[in-house]
Amino acid sequence: MVGGGPGSFIGPVHRMAAELDGRIRLVAGAFSRDATKNAEAAGAWGVAADRAYGDYRAMIAAEAVRDDGAEMVAVVTPNHLHFDVSATALKAGLHVMSDKPATLDLAEAKALAGVVAGSGRLYGLTHVYTGYPMVREAREIVRRGDLGAVRKIVAEYPQGWLSRPIERDGDKQAGWRSDPAQSGVGGCIGDIGVHAFNLAEFVGGVRVERLCGDVSTVVPGRALDDDCNVLLRFAGGARGVIIASQISAGARNGLKIQVYGEKGGLTWSHERHTELTIDWLDAPSQVLHAGAAYLSAPAQAASRLPTGHPEGFVEAFANIYRDFADAIGEGRADAGLVPDIAEGVRGMAFVETAVAASRAGDGWVAMPRSLT
């Protein structure tokens, strides 16, 4: 693992998720540039002292030649390090699982796609919400054509934790997310807007072709956006909306997606993540439940407990890690439902296109046709 030292939010989540099914074990890390914090993380997580490295390059070089060395690297740093850590690991023959977004900017994402292609190794991106059983069920329902042709997709992701300028008070998580040098051109849109974008394409099964972005900084003096609203046009004619905000005071983590077709629509909400509601045009509504025997194979495979026993964020993360471990173990060229570098490139294209169009007041603009 690179990153994830004391004070990290996402590092411990990656570690718990990776180890949940007994398929992956944390054996080495460059957890922090601070030697004391690095040793503290290693001790807390049962990593041998001689495998707690002060630099990720030294870790990758050493682990790549050990007989018992690491087979994959989890990248859980701020965005500005994602490219170099991932590329260094891939070139050394290690698989990579990275937190999102894939890189600091689109140019790096395209360059990383080339590294992945030439490495012969797997690259995964933890768009965690694709790991929820009922999100995978929603995807199957759309893919089967149960709703008919898709006409509209709405993805909302409101949070309120940045309603005040807490980055100026030393909040670590707010600090790097509000710093263009560490986060890139997107603040809210790069942090949670990419989740909504990814989920819209993952569930809806159609790609965004054009967008009209309104990306704003609401809190005075903040360096990056904290609120965004993006209109979408998908291949095939469907319309859509993405609303992502971190200044929606009182909102916690209210991700929701709605997909409407010719025959009805479905709704999945992160705050009721074990349920999927289908509202039919000419029939009574249905509520489907995680863990039930009537669900599709992908949804059932993503559940560990019987229906009525809730699973959540860590388990969804773990589904992505388990799928990735399966792909490595089986020597597959892809990891199935795990978001890959192509999704990473699309995410960065979405961020940069929306931010640039909003700043210029360009209205409707095309997503880049070539993402390689």
Side-chain angles (χ1 to χ4, degrees), residues 262-281:
E262 299 167 300
K263 304 174 185 178
L266 60 78
T267 301
W268 179 83
S269 166
H270 188 242
E271 294 183 343
R272 298 182 66 90
H273 59 82
T274 62
E275 299 177 0
L276 178 65
T277 300
I278 308 176
D279 295 304
W280 299 105
L281 181 63

Side-chain angles (χ1 to χ4, degrees), residues 170-185:
D171 186 286
K172 180 179 178 180
Q173 299 302 320
W176 75 260
R177 285 175 170 83
S178 301
D179 178 6
Q182 297 184 76
S183 190
V185 299

Side-chain angles (χ1 to χ4, degrees), residues 115-141:
V115 176
V116 173
S119 71
R121 294 296 182 264
L122 294 177
Y123 173 92
L125 198 60
T126 52
H127 277 299
V128 58
Y129 303 104
T130 65
Y132 278 91
M134 302 314 287
V135 168
R136 294 187 174 185
E137 179 68 11
R139 174 186 169 92
E140 288 300 306
I141 287 170

